[in-house]
Amino acid sequence: MKVIGLTGGIGSGKSTVTDYLIARGFHVLDADQIAREIVLPGSEMLIQLASAFGRGIILEDGSLDRKKLGEIVFSDREKKKTLDGLMHTRILELIHERILQIREERKHKVIFIDAPLLFETGLHKSVSEIWLTDADDETRIQRIMARDGMSREEIEKRISAQMTREEKQSLADVILDNTGDQESLYQQIEQLMKKI
Ligand code: ATP
């Protein structure tokens, strides 16, 4: 079974590709969803986070206070590293477990992992192939502004905090050029499907 890692910078089209793949009947593991699952109320991870960052990061209803945690880690590099270390380790464990389960079911010839932080977590080392959604900064800024109503400054700040496009391009096996319309993106995927 082939495991394809799908990644790309903010607003580059990962969800658009994932939605298309799911509609085409492919199995897609969603790393962001796993990240949300592991911090549900009562989870082992939430206990670990509270011991690392204080009980103040847990709201009265037992859920994670993301805003509070964000304030703590974004002003302190070491704390951000601690958080990433804890979260990434557990996310990788779960992804590996799920890949094993799916492999044993023998139902799929190929599965995808939608992982915005594929490279940053080191997950790229365990996939068979890396697909990168890619578009120039201005196109991404315009699309995110239209989608989220976020300001240009905020989006630029997020882009500059990420790995550069060039770094990602150099590590990818396949680059999906998402500067055109969605149809053109889907056509590129269809071409790739012929080789799977
Ligand atoms: P994020 O990193 O923020 O999660 P993403 O990489 O998942 O974003 P998408 O959500 O797929 O990116 O795309 C960003 C926005 O651009 C969405 O509103 C999407 O509908 C739109 N979009 C994606 N591809 C195209 C395209 N080829 N033409 C026009 N709009 C597009």
Side-chain angles (χ1 to χ4, degrees):
M1 185 181 80
K2 203 168 181 174
V3 179
I4 299 180
L6 173 69
T7 193
I10 177 170
S12 59
K14 299 174 293 294
S15 303
T16 305
V17 171
T18 295
D19 290 347
Y20 184 76
L21 292 169
I22 292 172
R24 285 278 274 98
F26 289 96
H27 193 93
V28 184
L29 286 175
D30 180 341
D32 275 353
Q33 191 190 325
I34 293 174
R36 287 190 295 272
E37 282 171 20
I38 61 175
V39 292
L40 285 175
S43 62
E44 180 61 32
M45 180 56 64
L46 208 49
I47 296 167
Q48 286 186 36
L49 294 182
S51 92
F53 305 109
R55 285 205 50 84
I57 60 147
I58 300 182
L59 290 164
E60 269 192 15
D61 65 0
S63 64
L64 174 64
D65 188 340
R66 291 176 186 278
K67 192 161 169 270
K68 187 70 175 282
L69 180 61
E71 284 162 10
I72 295 172
V73 299
F74 286 113
S75 55
D76 186 327
R77 270 172 173 269
E78 280 309 308
K79 288 189 174 157
K80 174 77 168 63
K81 260 193 180 166
T82 305
L83 174 66
D84 287 348
L86 287 168
M87 290 290 291
H88 293 173
T89 307
R90 186 68 189 127
I91 293 168
L92 287 189
E93 272 173 16
L94 281 176
I95 287 178
H96 285 128
E97 272 175 28
R98 290 191 191 176
I99 292 174
L100 266 180
Q101 280 167 6
I102 298 166
R103 214 184 274 284
E104 279 167 12
E105 287 169 15
R106 295 175 177 273
K107 276 198 316 211
H108 301 277
K109 211 171 123 193
V110 57
I111 63 159
F112 292 84
I113 308 173
D114 173 2
L117 298 178
L118 187 84
F119 299 122
E120 294 84 345
T121 55
L123 182 58
H124 66 294
K125 294 181 199 140
S126 357
V127 297
S128 347
E129 206 171 286
I130 299 165
W131 288 14
L132 178 75
T133 48
D134 189 44
D136 57 275
D137 289 359
E138 190 51 36
T139 302
R140 293 190 291 145
I141 290 168
Q142 293 299 336
R143 287 178 184 164
I144 300 167
M145 286 200 297
R147 186 191 63 187
D148 301 336
M150 224 188 264
S151 72
R152 169 177 287 275
E153 290 68 35
E154 180 58 25
I155 301 165
E156 282 174 346
K157 213 165 93 188
R158 293 192 185 199
I159 289 178
S160 59
Q162 294 191 332
M163 244 172 104
T164 66
R165 280 178 66 206
E166 291 72 23
E167 278 175 280
K168 287 185 174 166
Q169 285 166 354
S170 70
L171 292 165
D173 299 301
V174 166
I175 297 173
L176 294 163
D177 174 9
N178 193 21
T179 46
D181 59 16
Q182 294 192 358
E183 196 46 48
S184 137
L185 183 64
Y186 301 153
Q187 277 170 17
Q188 293 171 61
I189 299 171
E190 287 305 326
Q191 286 304 316
L192 291 162
M193 291 310 177
K194 290 182 189 158
K195 295 185 210 147
I196 287 176

